[in-house]
Amino acid sequence: MDNWIKLPGCQYITSTECNFSSVELNVFEEVRLRIRAEKGNKTSQWSMVDWFIPFRKAQIGPPKVHLEPEDKAIIINISPPGTRESHMWAMDSSRFTYSLVIWKNSSGIVDKRTETVYPTDKIYKLSPETTYCLKVRARLRSQRKTGLFTPVYCINTTVENKLPPPENLEVDAKNQTYILKWDYTYEDMTFQAQWFHAFLKNIPENHSDKWKQIPGCENVKTTQCVFPQKMFPNGIYYLRVQASNGNNTSLWSEEKKFDTEMQTIIPPPVISMTPINDLLHIYIGAPKDTENKFMNQHYPLIYEINFWKNTSNAEFRILHKKTDFFIPNLQPLTVYCVKARTLIEDKKWNKSSVFSDIVCEKTRPGNTSITWIIAGICAALFAIPLAIYIGKGLLRCINYIFFPSCKPPPSIEEHFSKWSLKNLLLSTSEEQTERCFIIENMNTLTIVEETNQIDEDHRKYSSQTSQDSGNYSNEDENSGGDVSEEVLLQEIM
Amino acid sequence: MSAKPDAIQNCLWPACLVGLLFPSVLSLECGLLNVHLNRVTWQNLRILNKMSDSFPVECLTENKDFELPQKILSYTQPMNRDIMEAFYEMFSQVFNIFSRHAFKSAWEEKHLKQIQIGLDQQIEYLERCLEEEEKENEDTKQMEEISYSGAREPLLSNLELRRYFNRIGNFLKDKKYSHCAWEIVRLEIRKCFYYLQTFTMLLRRK
């Protein structure tokens, strides 16, 4: 911290104030100062001054103003605050905005008008032969700094020119050309139009010689002229027009600001449409952009779709960002017509294309809205297993009725019923005792085992079907057993 | 059969439209700004590339790091006033470099003009949006001024940007606006624009 430097302009001074503006400081860096009093060899303690950033502390001074009167306007040229050598505002010379207060000298400052002006600009809508007074101050937007006002300048406007300047300049874009139009009071005049780079207005210099003729707009007899779009690459320009009748020339018109970006024409979209039940499936083809391909790449587009029943006038309007969507809840078998246009998603521009061609299409029959479709699907999901189940039951019945298992003759049946009873008893009670037989006698064992096997089969069937069928299957082991087993197995499955 | 859909059409559509339209339309104030910026920055980047074929090898030794303050745009909010001001400051300073000293460069007049036009356009849009915002905040600002009794301080990041561009300006001056110095500055500004470009792309995605 000991690299303190002597501050030029502030050494050995007797007053309590000094000026060090000649020092080349980096005005954006912090500055620390210390000060002490000296007398002979004796010195006081250093007193520290709070650190500061000169640029932050600096106050914007008044700019310099040069005025030139016309009949209904004043041309103004402003030099930025500070001097050429000072570096406080060196980086801002082209970025000051100027705010101007102007009033008629006769009416006093009460009736004032405030305007934002460029370093080279024109104040319009004044009266001829009138004294106007004005003052200007600079402003640095990015730093939120406002400067001091200049002293008040007063100036007289001139006598009104014989020919008025052209008015209401307007630029339209059409195909690959721009059309510049204006109004003029008299007929049989020749006009010429000029253009100028907007960015030059920010550079404080005299640019009066930088206006250029627009080819195709020299000595035109009409109140409009046409020039190719490619003459003006993307950017901001100014245009002005002058009228002449051979002897006299008017002053230049008000300068018309012309931003090519704002002139872009949005072509209408292309619609195609297919009816699906009571829906309309809309597909929007992106606008075909001629030449400049800014459209989809850069700008968020919205489509406005208007649709109506062919028979009624009531129009419905919907907005969509997508290019592919449905219009739901329409009446079936009704002709609907649709038109669409493209909007740029920006309130300020308020840009939109013209409407597309009208497309009409009839909706299909059937009032199947989405809920109905869903309900249908759900119902179907339940119905299918039910139908299968019923079908199977039916098949079984049919099988019993028309293709019954071979019935044994009644004489056997009688005999068999006894068996079955016996078997039934065996199946429950004898089973537990069968192991006892096995241990006691080898001969009985084989027999029992056999019956047991039959019995097991029987139990398997009887558990699945009625008692009767169990009996049959048990008895008809050899003859019809195979058939019935197949049927039963099917059922189990 | 058709009574129900008709009722839906008649009652729901206007309601839907009101619900859908208004929030989106009202929030579009200068909403396209980053789209514009993105577009014009891209254009400017292309011009900067076109200005010279390639970086001259003999200038490599003079290369310098200007320390682009990258932190200033690491905000996560959408386009707000602070970001707009930072952009404004950047474009203004680049415009300043290209308009005050560039006539001493060896670049083609055509390219120089194109870049000035592009920068001017960006500054113009930013200015308009800043102005719009100022008008909107007029009442609140007046109240603020009363309560804080003084102008609001700009962000510190703006000062950092100034320091950065001051370094660039001083470098050009020190090198007496030599060809190499301009080439190095061109590269630096390209870097700066590229950085802005990616930033606006990120903003667009939000």
Side-chain angles (χ1 to χ4, degrees):
Chain A
M1 282 303 282
D2 271 341
N3 47 359
W4 291 90
I5 305 160
K6 279 184 181 177
L7 191 63
C10 295
Q11 305 299 315
Y12 314 110
I13 44 162
T14 49
S15 65
T16 53
E17 176 179 304
C18 65
N19 183 341
F20 57 97
S21 44
S22 61
V23 184
E24 253 198 57
L25 286 172
N26 181 342
V27 293
F28 308 113
E29 300 293 343
E30 280 174 29
V31 174
R32 285 167 203 275
L33 298 174
R34 59 180 188 180
I35 195 165
R36 69 175 180 188
E38 291 174 358
K39 192 173 186 181
N41 287 335
K42 288 175 189 163
T43 58
S44 73
Q45 287 281 315
W46 286 108
S47 170
M48 298 292 288
V49 179
D50 284 340
W51 69 270
F52 65 98
I53 297 166
F55 183 74
R56 280 271 170 95
K57 266 236 151 50
Q59 165 74 51
I60 302 173
K64 278 164 241 56
V65 173
H66 178 258
L67 301 171
E68 201 181 304
E70 279 186 0
D71 58 350
K72 289 173 189 169
I74 296 171
I75 299 166
I76 187 165
N77 277 298
I78 305 170
S79 311
T83 54
R84 236 169 223 288
E85 297 77 46
S86 76
H87 34 263
M88 188 67 79
W89 312 120
M91 291 165 79
D92 300 296
S93 58
S94 55
R95 248 340 116 182
F96 279 114
T97 50
Y98 299 95
S99 131
L100 169 138
V101 184
I102 186 164
W103 64 94
K104 266 186 197 167
N105 197 20
S106 52
S107 67
I109 200 163
V110 193
D111 197 16
K112 64 184 179 186
R113 189 170 109 193
T114 308
E115 264 180 44
T116 305
V117 288
Y118 289 107
T120 41
D121 215 335
K122 238 172 163 183
I123 311 149
Y124 296 106
K125 296 183 177 68
L126 304 177
S127 313
E129 293 179 86
T130 315
T131 310
Y132 283 94
C133 294
L134 57 87
K135 56 180 184 178
V136 183
R137 66 172 172 184
R139 194 178 158 216
L140 211 50
R141 200 187 291 274
S142 61
Q143 301 301 318
R144 299 177 189 170
K145 272 175 186 282
T146 306
L148 301 169
F149 269 115
T150 58
V152 174
Y153 294 82
C154 290
I155 193 166
N156 289 324
T157 47
T158 59
V159 181
E160 190 168 3
N161 202 295
K162 270 182 191 161
L163 289 176
E167 283 175 318
N168 307 324
L169 269 67
E170 231 173 80
V171 186
D172 281 336
K174 206 173 199 179
N175 300 328
Q176 297 305 304
T177 58
Y178 288 123
I179 302 163
L180 172 64
K181 292 175 186 166
W182 58 90
D183 292 338
Y184 202 68
T185 19
Y186 306 121
E187 307 228 319
D188 293 326
M189 305 290 291
T190 47
F191 302 95
Q192 62 163 330
Q194 291 186 335
W195 69 273
F196 179 76
H197 278 299
F199 74 85
L200 289 171
K201 288 218 173 206
N202 283 312
I203 302 170
E205 266 173 53
N206 187 5
H207 301 294
S208 50
D209 56 334
K210 285 175 187 146
W211 284 88
K212 286 174 193 144
Q213 297 288 339
I214 304 173
C217 299
E218 294 156 304
N219 302 319
V220 286
K221 298 272 183 193
T222 50
T223 54
Q224 68 167 57
C225 63
V226 183
F227 46 93
Q229 279 192 12
K230 59 171 182 262
M231 227 197 87
F232 290 97
N234 201 6
I236 307 173
Y237 304 88
Y238 277 92
L239 305 176
R240 65 177 188 184
V241 183
Q242 190 181 47
S244 158
N245 62 2
N247 305 322
N248 292 303
T249 308
S250 78
L251 289 168
W252 286 102
S253 68
E254 281 188 24
E255 288 158 15
K256 169 78 183 171
K257 198 178 202 168
F258 166 55
D259 186 344
T260 54
E261 192 98 332
M262 306 294 160
Q263 296 295 330
T264 321
I265 301 169
I266 315 168
V270 183
I271 337 172
S272 58
M273 179 157 77
T274 15
I276 302 169
N277 295 326
D278 61 346
L279 306 170
L280 278 176
H281 180 199
I282 307 266
Y283 178 76
I284 290 181
K288 272 178 223 148
D289 190 14
T290 46
E291 290 281 306
N292 40 355
K293 289 174 184 164
F294 89 99
M295 298 302 299
N296 292 322
Q297 281 178 355
H298 300 285
Y299 289 92
L301 300 176
I302 301 181
Y303 300 101
E304 181 194 313
I305 298 98
N306 292 27
F307 66 98
W308 62 93
K309 257 188 270 178
N310 206 13
T311 47
S312 83
N313 287 325
E315 251 186 45
F316 298 100
R317 180 169 167 261
I318 41 173
L319 293 179
H320 257 284
K321 281 188 186 177
K322 286 184 188 166
T323 52
D324 194 357
F325 53 89
F326 293 94
I327 304 180
N329 298 327
L330 300 175
Q331 288 176 13
L333 292 169
T334 312
V335 177
Y336 280 93
C337 292
V338 175
K339 63 176 179 180
R341 62 174 174 172
T342 314
L343 312 170
I344 281 190
E345 200 183 301
D346 188 6
K347 194 185 169 195
K348 207 170 24 189
W349 276 21
N350 198 20
K351 276 241 166 209
S352 62
S353 73
V354 290
F355 274 106
S356 67
D357 296 334
I358 296 168
V359 184
C360 293
E361 200 78 52
K362 195 175 185 178
T363 47
R364 292 263 165 82
N367 191 26
T368 358
S369 66
I370 291 166
T371 45
W372 280 112
I373 294 169
I374 293 166
I377 290 167
C378 289
L381 282 174
F382 282 107
I384 290 165
L386 202 72
I388 291 169
Y389 188 78
I390 291 167
K392 283 218 167 156
L394 215 66
L395 198 70
R396 215 186 88 199
C397 289
I398 289 165
N399 274 336
Y400 273 120
I401 294 161
F402 295 104
F403 316 100
S405 318
C406 290
K407 267 186 181 171
S411 56
I412 301 170
E413 199 171 311
E414 207 177 290
H415 181 71
F416 155 74
S417 64
K418 272 182 209 162
W419 262 102
S420 80
L421 208 69
K422 208 176 173 185
N423 265 343
L424 265 172
L425 287 169
L426 264 175
S427 66
T428 49
S429 55
E430 258 182 78
E431 210 171 52
Q432 286 158 340
T433 53
E434 77 188 329
R435 289 201 199 263
C436 302
F437 284 114
I438 294 163
I439 299 158
E440 277 176 18
N441 193 333
M442 280 297 282
N443 289 334
T444 4
L445 175 78
T446 47
I447 299 158
V448 171
E449 258 186 344
E450 247 182 61
T451 39
N452 218 15
Q453 210 170 13
I454 297 160
D455 199 43
E456 252 174 27
D457 283 344
H458 154 69
R459 263 184 287 119
K460 198 163 92 189
Y461 299 145
S462 63
S463 67
Q464 292 299 330
T465 143
S466 70
Q467 187 90 40
D468 276 339
S469 75
N471 289 337
Y472 291 142
S473 58
N474 190 29
E475 194 52 33
D476 303 335
E477 267 299 90
N478 306 320
S479 52
D482 284 341
V483 180
S484 68
E485 192 183 322
E486 224 176 74
V487 174
L488 287 166
L489 275 174
Q490 246 179 29
E491 235 177 279
I492 292 158
M493 274 163 72
Chain B
M1 186 178 102
S2 60
K4 209 176 157 192
D6 254 3
I8 291 169
Q9 266 181 21
N10 294 341
C11 309
L12 272 183
W13 274 124
C16 282
L17 288 184
V18 169
L20 285 173
L21 282 180
F22 279 81
S24 55
V25 169
L26 288 180
S27 61
L28 284 177
E29 286 295 307
C30 276
L32 280 186
L33 185 67
N34 57 28
V35 182
H36 293 307
L37 292 180
N38 186 272
R39 203 175 94 74
V40 188
T41 308
W42 180 242
Q43 198 177 295
N44 282 343
L45 262 172
R46 276 189 9 222
I47 299 164
L48 279 175
N49 278 343
K50 258 194 266 169
M51 277 175 151
S52 275
D53 295 335
S54 59
F55 187 77
V57 189
E58 68 270 19
C59 301
L60 273 174
T61 48
E62 290 179 56
N63 212 349
K64 192 188 153 150
D65 182 13
F66 295 101
E67 295 160 53
L68 171 68
Q70 299 204 5
K71 269 187 204 151
I72 53 151
L73 291 180
S74 63
Y75 292 82
T76 44
Q77 322 94 301
M79 209 69 174
N80 63 11
R81 187 171 179 92
D82 296 336
I83 295 174
M84 277 202 271
E85 275 182 353
F87 268 69
Y88 182 81
E89 184 71 35
M90 275 187 166
F91 294 134
S92 303
Q93 292 310 328
V94 176
F95 182 86
N96 188 47
I97 288 174
F98 281 118
S99 56
R100 275 178 78 215
H101 313 293
F103 59 90
K104 294 165 192 159
S105 70
W107 291 325
E108 259 183 74
E109 170 91 9
K110 186 181 85 185
H111 290 143
L112 213 59
K113 234 178 208 148
Q114 275 177 340
I115 208 145
Q116 281 171 315
I117 292 173
L119 286 165
D120 176 64
Q121 214 174 2
Q122 278 171 314
I123 294 165
E124 176 86 24
Y125 293 150
L126 280 163
E127 222 160 49
R128 217 184 299 165
C129 288
L130 281 168
E131 221 160 77
E132 204 166 88
E133 219 213 52
E134 268 165 35
K135 267 181 206 153
E136 276 170 22
N137 295 344
E138 205 111 272
D139 304 325
T140 48
K141 206 169 93 187
Q142 274 170 356
M143 282 171 67
E144 246 174 62
E145 266 167 28
I146 294 162
S147 52
Y148 293 106
S149 69
R152 290 169 305 156
E153 283 282 289
L155 283 175
L156 203 70
S157 61
N158 265 349
L159 206 67
E160 270 175 48
L161 273 178
R162 291 214 149 224
R163 288 179 189 142
Y164 168 70
F165 283 105
N166 193 40
R167 284 193 286 272
I168 295 179
N170 286 343
F171 172 78
L172 279 172
K173 213 195 300 176
D174 292 346
K175 298 277 174 187
K176 298 193 173 62
Y177 303 97
S178 69
H179 174 65
C180 274
W182 273 116
E183 279 299 315
I184 290 162
V185 168
R186 181 179 70 93
L187 274 197
E188 184 64 31
I189 289 168
R190 207 177 68 172
K191 190 170 107 186
C192 183
F193 279 178
Y194 184 75
Y195 172 59
L196 290 182
Q197 177 75 3
T198 20
F199 184 76
T200 47
M201 289 280 269
L202 286 176
L203 278 181
R204 276 183 78 177
R205 255 177 239 156
K206 282 197 176 151

